[in-house]
């Protein structure tokens, strides 16, 4: 159990140092990952930036993710769920385009310099506050891969063993402090899991 996201980030940073992980840049997935990613970036002496993706909700049930799309358009589809729900091709393209635009707008709010950082040849650690389905993490990792990173790790305090297993296909390393067999939701492993505002998240970026 973590006190809050900062506590989780400090513990995650300690584990990454123990493993001798090196990184040129740490990318947090807004908003909840920024308090986790800040201690990680500080410990690894790396720059901190963001990578943004949005879930693509199912018709009549937006909380159910048909997939996720990153700010550059990198997309992951939950093929099993799509086969089961059978949304139209028109709906899938409409929700993909809409959420890609939303992801780009969100990234622009966080990044004063504008534009995704140049990751060519870099070692990159992507941080989230936890992994439930892995939808947004997958889209984010694909964007980092498309940007030419030399080595990519996903680092999280806690996650679903099933989702993390799938994510091992998307990164060179997946590092999770806890992978409980009875995982239900990320928030159950934090005493304080309050919402992080845009202003608070940007503050963590500005501390570097």
């Amino acid at each position: 159990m973590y006190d809050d996201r900062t506590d989780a980030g400090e513990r995650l940073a300690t584990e990454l140092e123990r493993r001798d992980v090196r990184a040129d840049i740490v990318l947090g997935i807004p908003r909840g990952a920024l308090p986790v990613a800040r201690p990680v970036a500080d410990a690894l002496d790396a720059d901190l930036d963001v990578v943004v993706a949005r879930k693509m909700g199912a018709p009549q049930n937006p909380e159910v993710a048909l997939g996720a799309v990153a700010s550059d358009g990198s997309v992951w589809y939950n093929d099993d769920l799509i086969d089961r729900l059978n949304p139209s091709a028109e709906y899938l393209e409409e929700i993909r385009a809409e959420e890609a635009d939303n992801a780009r707008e969100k990234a622009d709010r966080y990044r004063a310099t504008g534009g995704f950082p140049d990751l060519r040849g870099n070692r990159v650690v992507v941080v989230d506050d936890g992994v439930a389905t892995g939808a947004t993490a997958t889209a984010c990792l694909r964007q980092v891969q498309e940007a030419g990173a030399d080595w990519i790790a996903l680092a999280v305090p806690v996650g679903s063993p099933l989702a993390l297993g799938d994510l091992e296909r998307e990164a060179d390393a997946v590092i999770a402090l806890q992978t409980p067999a009875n995982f239900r939701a990320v928030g159950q492993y934090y005493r304080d899991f309050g919402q992080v505002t845009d202003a608070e998240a940007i503050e963590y970026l500005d501390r570097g």
Side-chain angles (χ1 to χ4, degrees):
M1 179 72 72
Y2 304 108
D3 292 336
D4 54 21
R5 290 180 176 89
T6 297
D7 174 43
E10 290 169 351
R11 295 200 221 176
L12 189 58
T14 298
E15 176 62 15
L16 294 176
E17 286 183 301
R18 187 188 71 79
R19 296 190 185 205
D20 198 27
V21 170
R22 293 177 293 108
D24 299 299
I25 187 167
V26 172
L27 299 176
I29 302 176
R31 294 180 301 248
L34 271 301
V36 183
R38 179 78 265 171
V40 170
D42 291 345
L44 301 183
D45 194 25
D47 293 333
L48 177 61
D49 209 301
V50 295
V51 57
V52 182
R54 298 269 300 188
K55 289 179 183 175
M56 299 183 295
Q60 285 84 50
N61 194 350
E63 294 304 310
V64 174
L66 296 175
V69 59
S71 58
D72 73 333
S74 298
V75 66
W76 169 78
Y77 291 107
N78 185 335
D79 293 328
D80 291 341
L81 187 60
I82 288 171
D83 287 345
R84 199 158 69 241
L85 297 180
N86 196 30
S88 68
E90 292 79 9
Y91 175 83
L92 282 174
E93 175 53 27
E94 180 182 313
I95 195 69
R96 186 206 62 78
E98 177 184 337
E99 294 301 355
D101 285 343
N102 288 337
R104 278 191 293 272
E105 290 172 9
K106 189 173 185 179
D108 289 344
R109 285 202 303 274
Y110 283 82
R111 193 175 291 121
T113 57
F116 198 60
D118 185 358
L119 302 181
R120 287 172 295 181
N122 283 354
R123 294 175 63 87
V124 180
V125 175
V126 176
V127 174
D128 206 352
D129 55 10
V131 168
T133 66
T136 53
T138 300
C140 288
L141 290 168
R142 290 185 180 181
Q143 179 172 6
V144 173
Q145 186 177 42
E146 288 292 322
D150 187 55
W151 181 86
I152 307 166
L154 174 69
V156 296
V158 63
S160 154
L162 181 61
L164 291 169
D166 290 340
L167 286 164
E168 288 177 353
R169 295 194 293 268
E170 307 289 339
D172 296 292
V174 173
I175 300 161
L177 300 185
Q178 297 184 46
T179 56
N182 61 343
F183 179 93
R184 295 192 304 277
V186 172
Q188 76 183 101
Y189 299 95
Y190 290 82
R191 292 185 180 89
D192 177 2
F193 197 64
Q195 190 171 24
V196 178
T197 66
D198 281 333
E200 289 168 340
I202 290 168
E203 199 175 292
Y204 287 103
L205 288 169
D206 290 341
R207 290 181 190 176

